[in-house]
C-alpha cells in the first residue's frame, strides 16, 4: 500500500467519525475538503436549530 492511499483511508475514517458525531454541522465535509458543502450544511444546521427553538418557544 502506498502512503497516498493510506492517507486517503485515514481521512475517510476521520470523516466518518465526524459525520456520526457532528453530522448535522457538516464537519465531515470540511475534513474531506468540500468547503462549500460544509458551509452550506453548517448554515442549514444552525438556522434549522434557531427556527426550531423559536417555534418551540425556547
Amino acid at each position: 500500500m502506498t502512503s497516498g492511499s493510506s492517507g486517503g483511508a485515514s481521512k475517510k475514517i476521520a470523516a466518518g467519525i465526524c459525520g456520526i458525531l457532528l453530522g448535522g454541522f457538516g464537519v465531515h465535509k470540511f475534513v474531506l475538503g468540500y468547503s462549500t458543502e460544509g458551509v452550506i450544511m453548517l448554515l442549514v444546521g444552525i438556522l434549522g436549530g434557531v427556527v426550531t427553538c423559536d417555534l418551540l418557544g425556547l
Side-chain angles (χ1 to χ4, degrees), residues 3-58:
S3 62
S5 64
S6 174
S10 65
K11 187 181 275 193
K12 287 181 181 181
I13 291 171
I17 292 170
C18 288
I20 291 169
L21 298 176
L22 301 168
F25 297 110
V27 175
H28 58 290
K29 296 288 188 178
F30 289 108
V31 171
L32 291 173
Y34 301 120
S35 299
T36 304
E37 291 89 343
V39 169
I40 292 169
M41 286 189 73
L42 182 61
L43 291 176
V44 168
I46 290 172
L47 291 175
V50 168
V51 169
T52 301
C53 288
D54 189 42
L55 291 175
L56 294 175
L58 299 175

